[in-house]
């Protein structure tokens, strides 16, 4: 009895479908590679670059109004900007980002306020306390209020911050802030001066 031999028929490849599959594989590979590169920390250089850009954008946002306040009241833009950068962590702190309070200004009486934790230097050590802070409608409004404090002083001493306005440069102004008791931090003046130097904030001073 003769045995029938069957020849397997070779299937023809569907060329367009194969090419489409290869294309999908290529796209997936490129995407995976891009993700790997994006997530890789090359010594933190990319993160640092983004952070520096973000900080410069913050400075550039505030600088024009700071210069307007200098023209009107004589307070140095470098001081306004230096304090804003330090007090608000370049606008990233909750008080600044959500409530537009750049300078940690406390609230009194019926002023719009929010109660948040803060750190103050008391009796030779840092302690965490709850405080009522002013709520503003904008960063510009916070800057205006900050400048009015320098110009008008406080109820018990209208001339409290006159030395800040009379200072010839930002170093004198920062030390005058410290002497007037603007902040409880004993190194406040040094921090403001360092901030101004690091980001060259005196470039905005006329």
């Amino acid at each position: 009895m003769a045995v029938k031999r069957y020849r397997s028929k070779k299937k023809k490849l569907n060329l367009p479908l194969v090419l489409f599959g290869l294309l999908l594989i290529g796209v997936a590979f490129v995407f995976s590679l891009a993700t790997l590169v994006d997530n890789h920390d090359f010594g933190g250089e990319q993160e640092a670059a983004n952070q520096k850009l973000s900080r410069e954008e913050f400075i550039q946002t505030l600088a024009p109004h700071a210069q307007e306040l200098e023209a009107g009241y004589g307070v140095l833009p470098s001081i306004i900007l230096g304090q804003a950068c330090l007090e608000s962590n370049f606008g990233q702190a909750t008080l600044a980002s959500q409530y537009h309070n750049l300078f940690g200004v406390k609230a009194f009486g019926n002023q719009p306020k929010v109660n948040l934790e803060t750190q103050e230097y008391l009796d030779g050590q840092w302690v965490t306390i709850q405080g009522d802070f002013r709520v503003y409608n904008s960063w510009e409004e916070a800057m205006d209020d900050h400048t009015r404090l320098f110009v008008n002083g406080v109820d018990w001493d209208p001339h409290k911050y006159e030395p800040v306005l009379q200072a010839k440069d930002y170093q004198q102004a920062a030390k005058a802030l410290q002497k007037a008791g603007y902040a409880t931090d004993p190194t406040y003046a040094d921090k403001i001066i360092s901030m101004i130097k690091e980001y060259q904030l005196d470039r905005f001073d006329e």
Side-chain angles (χ1 to χ4, degrees):
M1 179 176 173
V3 177
K4 293 184 179 179
R5 298 181 182 274
Y6 294 92
R7 291 184 181 180
S8 60
K9 295 182 179 179
K10 293 183 178 179
K11 295 182 179 180
K12 293 183 179 180
L13 293 176
N14 190 325
L15 190 58
L17 186 61
V18 171
L19 290 176
F20 180 73
L22 290 174
L23 179 61
L24 286 179
I25 294 172
V27 169
F29 175 78
V30 171
F31 179 79
S32 299
L33 183 60
T35 303
L36 177 63
V37 171
D38 185 59
N39 291 335
H40 189 73
D41 183 11
F42 293 97
E45 292 178 3
Q46 187 63 50
E47 181 180 351
N50 291 339
Q51 188 177 38
K52 181 170 284 188
L53 177 63
S54 176
R55 290 180 173 186
E56 181 60 25
E57 286 178 346
F58 173 76
I59 292 166
Q60 291 292 344
T61 298
L62 301 187
H65 193 56
Q67 290 177 317
E68 290 176 1
L69 292 172
E70 179 190 28
Y73 302 98
V75 60
L76 292 172
S78 58
I79 288 295
I80 297 174
L81 297 173
Q83 286 191 276
C85 292
L86 180 66
E87 299 278 1
S88 74
N89 188 26
F90 296 86
Q92 299 302 308
T94 299
L95 189 59
S97 62
Q98 295 186 24
Y99 304 103
H100 300 106
N101 189 333
L102 291 170
F103 304 98
V105 175
K106 297 286 183 64
F108 300 97
N110 296 323
Q111 294 174 334
K113 61 190 173 186
V114 61
N115 188 268
L116 295 173
E117 283 189 352
T118 184
Q119 283 199 319
E120 292 194 359
Y121 193 82
L122 300 172
D123 299 325
Q125 62 181 348
W126 287 101
V127 295
T128 300
I129 64 171
Q130 291 288 134
D132 288 333
F133 294 91
R134 281 290 305 271
V135 173
Y136 296 101
N137 294 315
S138 66
W139 284 345
E140 288 78 9
E141 185 181 358
M143 294 166 73
D144 291 343
D145 197 36
H146 175 259
T147 297
R148 278 194 294 270
L149 175 65
F150 289 162
V151 174
N152 300 326
V154 292
D155 292 342
W156 61 91
D157 186 1
H159 307 291
K160 186 176 180 67
Y161 294 106
E162 273 188 6
V164 178
L165 299 175
Q166 296 169 353
K168 301 297 183 183
D169 56 52
Y170 69 83
Q171 295 194 11
Q172 288 184 12
K175 291 174 182 176
L177 273 175
Q178 178 98 47
K179 189 173 181 179
Y182 181 90
T184 59
D185 185 349
T187 62
Y188 190 74
D190 293 335
K191 289 178 179 177
I192 294 296
I193 291 170
S194 296
M195 184 70 71
I196 293 171
K197 285 182 177 179
E198 181 175 356
Y199 294 94
Q200 300 177 324
L201 301 179
D202 56 328
R203 62 191 145 128
F204 300 106
D205 296 344
E206 293 183 358

